[in-house]
Amino acid sequence: MAEAVKHEQTLPSHPEKATLEGKNKFLGFWFFLGGETVLFASLFGTYLGLRNGVADGPTSQDLFHLDLVFIMTMILLTSSLTSVFAMINMKKGNFKGLIIWMWATVFLGACFLGFEIYEFIVYVDYGLGFTTSAFASSFYTLVGTHGGHVLFGILWISTLLIRYRKAGITLTNAPKFYVASLYWHFIDVVWVFIFTVVYLMGV
Amino acid sequence: MSNAQAQKSVLWDWLTTVDHKKIGIMYLVAGGFFFALGGLEAILMRIQLMFPNFDFVTAQTFNELLTMHGTTMIFLAAMPLLFGFMNYIVPLQIGARDVAFPFLNSLGFWLFLFGGVLLNLSWFLGGAPDAGWTAYVPLSSEYSGTGIDYYVLGLQISGLGTLIAGINFLVTIINMRAPGMSMMRMPLFTWSSFVASALILFAFPALTVGLLLLMLERLFGATYFAVDVGGNVVIWQHLFWIFGHPEVYILILPAFGIFSEVLSTFSKKRLFGYSAMVFATLIIGFLGFMVWAHHMFTVGIGPVANAIFAVATMAIAVPTGIKIFNWLFTMWGGRIQFTTANLFAIAFIPSFVMGGVTGIMLATSAANYQFHDTYFVVAHFHYVIIGGVVFGLFSGAFYWWPRMFGYKLNETLGKWFFWLFLFGFHLTFFVQHFIGLMGMPRRVASYLPGQGIDELNFVSTMGAFLMSVAFILLVVNVIVSVKNKSEADPWDGRTLEWAIPTPTPEYNFAQTPLVRELDALWYEKTHGNGKIKAAEPLDDIHMPNGSILPIFMSLGLFLASFGLIYQVHPVTIIGLAITLGAMFIRSIKEDHGYHIHKEDIKKEEGVG
Amino acid sequence: MDPHVTDPSAPLKGKPSKKAERQLAREGKQQIISFVFMIFLTSIAFLTVASDTIPNRFAIPFILIIAAVQVIMQLYYFMHLNERGNGWTNIMLWTGFFVAALTVATLMLLIGVTKY
């Protein structure tokens, strides 16, 4: 065992890709994100095809307010930065920094989700139910799928943070944190298109 | 640590296995079962159409049969059977000990199986889906029973499994290749599996969304496809075919790979134009994404759009033609052995070309208005799918059977099977071209006499019977040949999977092989001592532990589906909780596998 | 456990090399600059739409270009696609974007409302 300890003490410059498992996870997760691109494209396309199909319900012009969307965008953008900080700390070997910045990411994600739920409640009160019109259904499906991704990300990252709260950076958990942060960035990438295509083009 | 492995019961071992070879065999068994089921559905349809105005099954049953035949054959038979070969053979061909994600590999299989079972349970629970395998809205959204709910959720679950399998193969082929196995030294079957997996990655998400929308529309009252509140029905068709067209390439490309291996092995020649073959495979994969609207020429998306998709479709004939000629030149001047595997490969060429020619006819968008939704289309796609994919599956089965099961299938029975199947296949579908041109629409439960199609329909049914007899011969062959033990390299093979002892050891390669040339084993046979060189000294081998969690993840989704279909939401929540709980356990439990010791490997390999 | 196999659940100790430190510091600076730039771009996009004087036929392509720039910055600076050894990830991601673009264009244009 003495020999092994000597081995594992060195911190590789890319702990997330230091093992074959880590490399596989990294590549596999990127490919998954490639597939997710098509998934969201299908939802975007459906929304864009149906956004004028408002029937008797409210239109996007009646509903959308830029101030709320702006705040949500800033929150999510900042959460992307905090997860970047977490990864820099991981590569520096600073476990505490990794944990703190990841929790910050989770917190900002939860704020974002809270605003989104609030937004949906306001819209429903205004008369835009899920079944009101094709516009309503496709809007809730697109934005809701994104929100579902945020929720899953929060649960996933929290699980990792609680499970590894005292573990230190290891060859096993570094890839896990790394792909979770990739996932989080991807959520932000999707949101950039949502605020542009859905909200800015819908006001 | 390795001792703990030996004590498991056989059943538990198969339920928890993450070994790519066992998972491959499970894919073959499950796929074979669904293949027989889909074949039975086809026979029932052909009996109904044997005579005009025949009353063998009701029109409703006929609709269910035709829907389930198509869905089963594509999703639950052809794809899983190909996955069976891909799982077993691809890691061996690239010199790997396992796939990149053994756990996900097992999860992919169980998701497929539970999805398939869910779909087929609809037969007993209120009727099977009846809107065709394409499930066009509004027929599927407003005018169909619970069968469509089973269709939507069953395919969603098994589609998830397929997506996982696709990512797994991509990463395996990129990251797990043995030293010296560069991309351009990979056997063609591995290459075509790679491209097919990339197609899966980009095509299946569109289906996922399509099925999600249809589910929300049917179960939660969403209105994407309800025209009276602003919906649009063409969106479903696009989403379905953005997935659906790449899907046919997902099926045919691995079959092309199988033919490339078989033709080259049994011609005793290196594959002609290897790099052109790889390039053609990539081009077919790429073009496969830009042609889907040729299924929708008569929808009315406009003449310019139709023309663009027509030209893109015809362009696919060019790389496919390159492949056909390369196969012919591979055989040219070779010492051809007419084994059953090779007979299927040789018969594939003319059969598939016929399907290709009718494909070009159908791609002519103006003429398509005449052909659309007639038996001409049915004849076309059965020529490419049976003449291409199914022939490929049979060819691959006879070729790799000794590797996978340790015994050779009987060649005499095999040749009977081949000739009966070939004859039956052409008898069934060749006449359908003319039935279609005479105007018989597809998907009708019956037809009136005196239109000149009675005899042709009867002939077609006779062909279908021949195919069933042939299939029974295959099953008999599988059983009676068990004693026909095979050596490790029965065909004088060219690629790495024939370099290892039989039965295949759990760890595949005792020492990771060193690959020096394309057709690695053949190179060593002609330039070396016939043995693959090792890239590493003999050492302990790291293996992943099995897990029962994949079954629980799949079971959870299976239960949740029932909750959704019957709107009993406590069941939905329990089901999803099981799945998420299993994912949670997987996430927090670190499992680093175990090691097989050097001494045990030496014992098994018979050295030292 | 065999002695020559490293334990994957043991914490990694030690510091990165001086070279890696410098690299990380440079990366960190780049990322903060990209973040500020992204905030700036987002604000521009919102302002473009909020001010009623800018006509739509300019505003819509403009905000779409801004979105594309932002996404590329996310991918290349935050998600490290610019690092070496990312050939396959780039290929697959851009293939995904290609299929995605086809999908969106089709679902917008070719749904039988206008015939092209």
Side-chain angles (χ1 to χ4, degrees), chain B residues 41-229:
Chain B
E41 283 152 5
I43 285 295
L44 295 178
M45 279 192 286
R46 268 330 307 174
I47 295 175
Q48 163 66 17
L49 293 173
M50 193 154 55
F51 306 108
N53 277 330
F54 201 36
D55 248 346
F56 180 68
V57 292
T58 63
Q60 173 62 24
T61 311
F62 188 88
N63 287 346
E64 294 175 15
L65 285 172
L66 79 89
T67 304
M68 286 301 280
H69 168 71
T71 314
T72 305
M73 283 303 197
I74 298 280
F75 290 97
L76 309 178
M79 242 190 333
L81 287 168
L82 288 167
F83 278 175
F85 291 129
M86 281 154 78
N87 247 306
Y88 202 105
I89 301 300
V90 166
L92 298 182
Q93 283 194 334
I94 60 174
R97 295 230 166 86
D98 208 328
V99 289
F101 305 109
F103 179 89
L104 288 184
N105 199 15
S106 148
L107 178 61
F109 169 76
W110 290 108
L111 283 172
F112 140 68
L113 188 65
F114 275 97
V117 170
L118 179 69
L119 181 58
N120 275 286
L121 281 179
S122 62
W123 283 112
F124 311 104
L125 299 165
D130 53 0
W133 86 285
T134 52
Y136 273 15
V137 291
L139 177 60
S140 60
S141 58
E142 288 175 35
Y143 304 102
S144 289
T146 50
I148 296 291
D149 297 330
Y150 283 93
Y151 168 93
V152 166
L153 288 155
L155 290 191
Q156 191 71 281
I157 294 174
S158 77
L160 203 59
T162 309
L163 185 64
I164 288 173
I167 293 176
N168 193 4
F169 286 123
L170 285 174
V171 179
T172 303
I173 293 171
I174 290 175
N175 270 359
M176 309 284 282
R177 278 172 287 131
M181 177 62 82
S182 62
M183 290 301 276
M184 290 310 275
R185 282 183 191 166
M186 291 194 319
L188 240 273
F189 179 62
T190 301
W191 252 116
S192 55
S193 300
F194 181 76
V195 177
S197 302
L199 295 185
I200 288 174
L201 175 62
F202 298 118
F204 268 73
L207 177 72
T208 305
V209 170
L211 293 173
L212 175 76
L213 299 188
L214 186 52
M215 181 193 84
L216 291 173
E217 178 113 355
R218 286 181 55 89
L219 298 174
F220 297 96
T223 51
Y224 321 99
F225 310 126
V227 179
D228 51 340
V229 279

Side-chain angles (χ1 to χ4, degrees), chain B residues 5-25:
Chain B
Q5 285 300 303
Q7 292 156 4
K8 288 190 290 194
S9 76
V10 176
L11 179 68
W12 183 253
D13 183 40
W14 282 87
L15 290 180
T16 61
T17 187
V18 292
D19 179 359
H20 72 97
K21 298 179 285 299
K22 285 182 178 155
I23 292 173
I25 288 172

Side-chain angles (χ1 to χ4, degrees), chain A residues 95-137:
Chain A
F95 181 67
K96 214 169 188 179
L98 165 69
I99 295 284
I100 289 171
W101 285 114
M102 270 304 196
W103 274 121
T105 307
V106 170
F107 171 75
L108 289 169
C111 290
F112 173 87
L113 201 62
F115 275 114
E116 190 160 292
I117 292 166
Y118 164 76
E119 186 201 358
F120 280 9
I121 290 171
V122 170
Y123 292 169
V124 171
D125 283 347
Y126 196 84
L128 189 83
F130 181 58
T131 57
T132 307
S133 62
F135 159 69
S137 295

Side-chain angles (χ1 to χ4, degrees), chain A residues 20-21 23-25 27-28 31-32 34-36 38-40 42-43 45-46 49-50 53-55 130-135 137-138 141 145 152 156 159-160 163-164 170 172-173 176, chain B residues 99-101 163 167 170-171 174-176 201-203 205-206 208-209 212-213 216 220-224 226 228-232 235 239 242 542 580 583-584 586-590 592:
Chain A
L20 180 62
E21 283 79 17
K23 280 193 195 89
N24 287 344
K25 208 172 260 187
L27 201 60
F31 291 174
F32 169 71
E36 286 262 278
V38 181
L39 183 122
F40 275 104
S42 307
L43 291 169
T46 307
L50 298 177
V54 289
F130 181 58
T131 57
T132 307
S133 62
F135 159 69
S137 295
S138 58
T141 312
T145 306
F152 185 82
W156 178 17
T159 306
L160 288 180
R163 164 69 176 83
Y164 291 114
T170 69
T172 311
N173 66 24
K176 292 189 183 192
Chain B
V99 289
F101 305 109
L163 185 64
I167 293 176
L170 285 174
V171 179
I174 290 175
N175 270 359
M176 309 284 282
L201 175 62
F202 298 118
T208 305
V209 170
L212 175 76
L213 299 188
L216 291 173
F220 297 96
T223 51
Y224 321 99
D228 51 340
V229 279
N232 186 309
I235 284 179
L239 287 175
I242 287 171
H542 177 251
L580 286 173
M583 284 165 72
F584 179 75
R586 170 69 186 168
S587 180
I588 63 165
K589 218 180 106 202
E590 281 188 8
H592 299 304

